[in-house]
Amino acid sequence: LLLLPLQARAAEYKCTAELPVEVRTSGAATAERFTITLTPEDGAPAPAADTVQVKGSGTAGFTGLTYTAPGDYRYTVRQCAGGTAHMTYDATVYTVTVRVTNQPNGGLGAEIWATGGSSEKTGLLLFQNRYDPPAAPTPRSPRTPRPSPPCPKPPTPCR
């Protein structure tokens, strides 16, 4: 019997996650691009990009999060305040935990838990902004001068 060195490869043991974000802007319409940042904590895997942008109102997501071991991975997610006058920016700071667990089929699975907003374990990170520019002055129609009232007659002199 001959012994040959063999190289064994383990099956792929990983999972991926996406962190969705939504920006809602109320008040007047705006074309501003809102920037949301994600910061990995304690060595958590980084996303493909650490910022996403949403124009006006809409959704985006942090992608490229890949996990190769079970555990809790934490992130901080916040919106960067822009410089638009009369805009109220949502200052919510989310703490996101991606819990990676062993699955019965031998792979890994992930659940997303978010705290800091109006609800927990949402899977959706919501930022609500408001744009209230001052009302434009209403144009006035040109005034037509009114004639002055006639002067009163001088009193009759007393005798």
Side-chain angles (χ1 to χ4, degrees):
L1 190 62
L2 227 284
L3 293 175
L4 298 173
L6 296 176
Q7 192 174 37
R9 290 196 169 173
E12 200 166 305
Y13 188 66
K14 67 180 181 179
C15 69
T16 59
E18 179 178 339
L19 300 179
V21 296
E22 180 177 356
V23 175
R24 293 182 192 160
T25 304
S26 60
T30 180
E32 181 170 353
R33 289 190 177 278
F34 299 100
T35 301
I36 313 299
T37 64
L38 179 138
T39 305
E41 305 293 336
D42 304 320
D50 62 357
T51 62
V52 295
Q53 290 191 329
V54 175
K55 183 178 178 182
S57 291
T59 59
F62 292 100
T63 60
L65 294 162
T66 303
Y67 305 94
T68 58
D72 286 350
Y73 300 91
R74 288 186 175 68
Y75 301 88
T76 301
V77 180
R78 64 175 40 100
Q79 176 180 234
C80 301
T84 300
H86 310 289
M87 178 72 73
T88 303
Y89 296 92
D90 188 335
T92 301
V93 176
Y94 288 96
T95 299
V96 177
T97 301
V98 178
R99 178 163 287 162
V100 177
T101 58
N102 288 309
Q103 298 297 297
N105 66 0
L108 293 174
E111 288 184 334
I112 299 171
W113 296 72
T115 59
S118 57
S119 62
E120 294 193 14
K121 195 179 177 189
T122 60
L124 176 68
L125 309 176
L126 175 62
F127 296 94
Q128 299 182 75
N129 302 317
R130 181 154 185 89
Y131 182 49
D132 289 313
T138 55
R140 291 184 169 180
S141 59
R143 295 182 78 188
T144 306
R146 285 197 258 180
S148 301
C151 294
K153 292 184 180 180
T156 310
C158 293
R159 295 193 190 194

